[in-house]
């Protein structure tokens, strides 16, 4: 396991360096932040001073190696817009996204496993057809459309929920609900398929022949072996949220890392963009390692 984790860490570090190089130079193609942060009538002296303070007066290649040197000291630079260390802005936004993702994926996991398992147990029945119908709709519905419809119905027409912010628990209802729908539809389908195969396996038939009740058969004998593909999809969907629920956070004004990245791209806050990408990539690396460990827990035959 240690050698496996070491190889994964090296591969992730190489990918991260490549990503930093790509984003660093592509972000510079968007233009000079001086044009955004200083008024149009600003003097040339003020512009030169701004560019010198933020190192923008240096040749691009010098800026790049200077940035790499700072990274080796865990210095992610300063946010031009907020006048604070870029990593502080990113960690603050990431904490919000992490909470949003944890709440959403916890609900998704429990609901998809329970509903998917029951649908598989009643395969072909009314419950299975209803669950499959709504899961397919949920898996194919675009987030931005659901978010807009939710705002129109629950905020504008009914006035039940706030449209943006994080002040109360009611501010979380629509962002969590919108992020819930797509992963729930996808994972329910995976659970259902895996459980159908598990329920038709020889060891489940043997348990039934021994008189084991339905609930232990579903949630103890069959579910454990059906979880491996489910964990893979769960990991992908969690990574999608951690990578920035960009659309949902932007529409609902949620101060997560997705909204932070969009704002930073629009405002050419290069250090925040790069710091956000690195923090997100590191979080996804840790999550993938956790998934690999879960594989070995669920199936002891798996060795790395």
């Amino acid at each position: 396991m240690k050698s496996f984790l070491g190889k994964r860490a090296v591969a992730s570090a190489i990918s991260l360096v490549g990503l930093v190089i790509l984003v660093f130079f592509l972000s510079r193609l968007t233009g000079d932040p001086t044009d955004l942060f200083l008024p149009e009538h600003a003097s040339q002296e003020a512009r030169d001073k701004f560019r010198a303070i933020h190192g923008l007066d240096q040749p691009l290649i010098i800026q790049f190696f200077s940035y790499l040197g700072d990274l080796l000291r865990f210095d992610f630079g300063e946010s031009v817009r907020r006048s604070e260390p870029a990593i502080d802005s990113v960690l603050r936004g990431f904490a919000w996204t992490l909470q949003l993702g944890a709440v959403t994926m916890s609900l998704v996991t429990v609901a998809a496993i329970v509903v998917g398992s029951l649908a598989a147990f009643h395969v072909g029945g009314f419950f299975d057809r209803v669950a499959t119908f709504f899961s397919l709709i949920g898996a194919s519905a675009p987030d931005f459309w659901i978010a807009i419809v939710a705002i129109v119905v629950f905020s504008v027409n009914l006035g039940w929920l706030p449209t943006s912010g994080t002040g109360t628990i009611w501010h979380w209802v629509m962002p969590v609900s919108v992020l819930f729908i797509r992963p729930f539809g996808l994972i329910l389908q995976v659970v259902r398929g895996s459980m159908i195969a598990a329920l038709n396996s020889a060891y489940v038939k043997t348990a039934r022949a021994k008189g084991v009740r339905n609930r232990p058969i579903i949630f103890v004998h069959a579910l454990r072996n059906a979880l491996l593909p489910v964990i893979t999809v769960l990991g992908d969907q969690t990574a999608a949220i951690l990578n920035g629920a960009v659309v949902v956070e932007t529409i609902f004004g949620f101060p997560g890392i997705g909204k932070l990245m969009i704002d930073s791209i629009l405002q050419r806050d290069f250090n925040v963009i790069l710091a956000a990408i690195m923090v997100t990539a590191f979080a996804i690396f840790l999550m993938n390692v956790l998934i690999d460990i879960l594989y070995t827990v669920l199936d002891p035959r798996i060795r790395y």
Side-chain angles (χ1 to χ4, degrees), residues 64-280:
F64 174 68
F65 283 108
S66 175
Y67 185 78
L68 286 185
D70 291 340
L71 276 185
L72 293 177
R73 299 191 298 273
F74 295 100
D75 180 0
F76 293 82
E78 186 170 293
S79 167
V80 177
R81 183 162 68 103
R82 296 175 176 80
S83 298
E84 65 175 2
I87 192 64
D88 290 353
S89 301
V90 170
L91 291 179
R92 195 162 52 242
F94 185 72
W96 283 109
T97 299
L98 194 61
Q99 294 176 64
L100 184 63
V103 172
T104 303
M105 293 311 296
S106 297
L107 295 173
V108 166
T109 303
V110 173
I113 287 177
V114 172
V115 177
S117 299
L118 294 176
F121 189 76
H122 301 287
V123 62
F126 177 75
F127 183 86
D128 179 36
R129 293 179 183 180
V130 172
T132 301
F133 175 75
F134 283 104
S135 67
L136 290 175
I137 291 177
S140 57
D143 290 343
F144 74 90
W145 181 79
I146 299 172
I148 292 172
V149 170
I151 289 175
V152 170
V153 173
F154 296 105
S155 296
V156 177
N157 292 332
L158 298 177
W160 290 352
L161 298 171
T163 56
S164 63
T166 56
T168 68
I169 191 172
W170 301 111
H171 289 87
W172 290 67
V173 173
M174 284 201 289
V176 169
S177 300
V178 172
L179 284 176
F180 173 92
I181 293 174
R182 181 190 291 273
F184 174 73
L186 290 171
I187 296 171
L188 188 148
Q189 287 298 310
V190 176
V191 172
R192 178 181 176 275
S194 299
M195 284 296 289
I196 288 175
L199 289 172
N200 289 320
S201 61
Y203 64 90
V204 169
K205 292 178 179 177
T206 302
R208 281 177 170 154
K210 291 180 178 179
V212 179
R213 295 181 179 179
N214 289 332
R215 186 172 298 178
I217 285 178
I218 296 174
F219 295 108
V220 177
H221 295 279
L223 185 59
R224 181 186 178 94
N225 292 290
L227 279 181
L228 286 178
V230 177
I231 287 175
T232 303
V233 182
L234 269 174
D236 291 341
Q237 295 302 309
T238 305
I241 292 179
L242 289 181
N243 198 29
V246 177
V247 173
V248 172
E249 289 182 356
T250 302
I251 290 177
F252 291 109
F254 197 87
I257 199 168
K259 185 176 184 300
L260 177 66
M261 281 197 281
I262 290 294
D263 292 343
S264 301
I265 290 171
L266 294 175
Q267 295 164 349
R268 298 171 190 161
D269 202 345
F270 301 141
N271 289 334
V272 174
I273 298 171
L274 285 161
I277 289 172
M278 282 186 278
V279 168
T280 304

